[in-house]
Amino acid sequence: THTDRPQCGGRPLHGMRRRESFLRSLTARELGPCRPRTPAVDASALSLRASTVALSSHLELTPRGDAVTTLSLEAIDERYLLAGCADASVALYDVADTPSAPPRGPPQPRRPVVQATRRSCRSGHTGAVACVQWFPHDTGAFVSGGYDALVKLWDTNTMSPACDFESAGRVHCVCMSEVASRHNLIAACADGDDREVVLYDPNVGHAAHRLCGHRGVPWALAWSPRDEHHLVSGGSDGSLRLWDIRKNIRGCLRSFDVHHTFARAGPPRSAAGAGGGRPDATGDAPSLAAAARRLAEPKA
């Protein structure tokens, strides 16, 4: 007799039993005895997922420095990965250069292809790197922002900055549009009393436009995936603002206030109280409908 646990195809027999139980549950649901989304089906699905989840043991990337603070994987070849670190360094990895078979034993940490540190690149960052992003449609360049109040455009071939842009304070986010064909502006937000989003133009080497309106420091940016002129920003004031960068007026296209958008809906209010933006007689916050009406109203 065999004393070892029965196996099939290199997998324990209990793994096959989970699959058989799951298939029986699906068959019962299809034929009628079992209703959709019953506890038996959910339990079988959860057990099957848990038995197949495993971390990849092929690759482990380790920078020569401090903690990793930001990552960016280019979308052209889906091969080159940028990593910004807290020690002001920027590392470049080739994630496609992996062994064909899982290693025996623990995987050996993979070093970056090249890494720009304070010692190897005197013109690099001197503070923690807060954000990195590949140049759209071109792996020959990327942008970064750091706590040294600098936004840098890098040449990937030499792993050195091609130009710098000074900001008012620590840079929180840099962002470039993936669909832009008429501009290559770098949107950045940083600490500062102006509380503005700055658009830098690499062609002229300085800021081309400033978007003002946040009551707090802007922290996050995202370009529209459809319109190359639309930019969304979010700040510490709890608001989201949609901008059209072609507009030279002071103000955004639309503002979304988290305190109003996610306010608890209360009972219908009178016409006199609906326009004032104040709590109703029960003390509830303004309703969602009232908040939506205020957002839809044209600005004076």
Side-chain angles (χ1 to χ4, degrees), residues 273-288:
R278 296 185 299 272
D280 57 13
T282 62
D284 289 335
S287 66
L288 291 174

Side-chain angles (χ1 to χ4, degrees), residues 5-18:
R5 178 179 295 180
Q7 294 190 1
C8 178
R11 291 184 177 271
L13 188 58
H14 60 77
M16 297 182 60
R17 289 173 180 169
R18 287 197 186 96

Side-chain angles (χ1 to χ4, degrees), residues 63 66-72 82-92 115-118 121 123-134 142-154 159 161 170-174:
D66 211 332
V68 176
T69 55
T70 180
L71 296 170
S72 179
L82 288 170
C85 301
D87 63 349
S89 64
V90 179
L92 174 64
Q115 185 167 3
T117 64
R118 292 184 183 181
C121 182
S123 58
H125 285 287
T126 57
V129 180
C131 43
V132 291
Q133 183 188 353
W134 283 103
F142 64 91
V143 294
S144 67
Y147 277 15
D148 53 1
L150 291 175
V151 175
K152 293 180 178 289
L153 175 63
W154 296 72
M159 207 61 179
R170 296 183 302 178
V171 179
H172 295 291
C173 183
V174 293

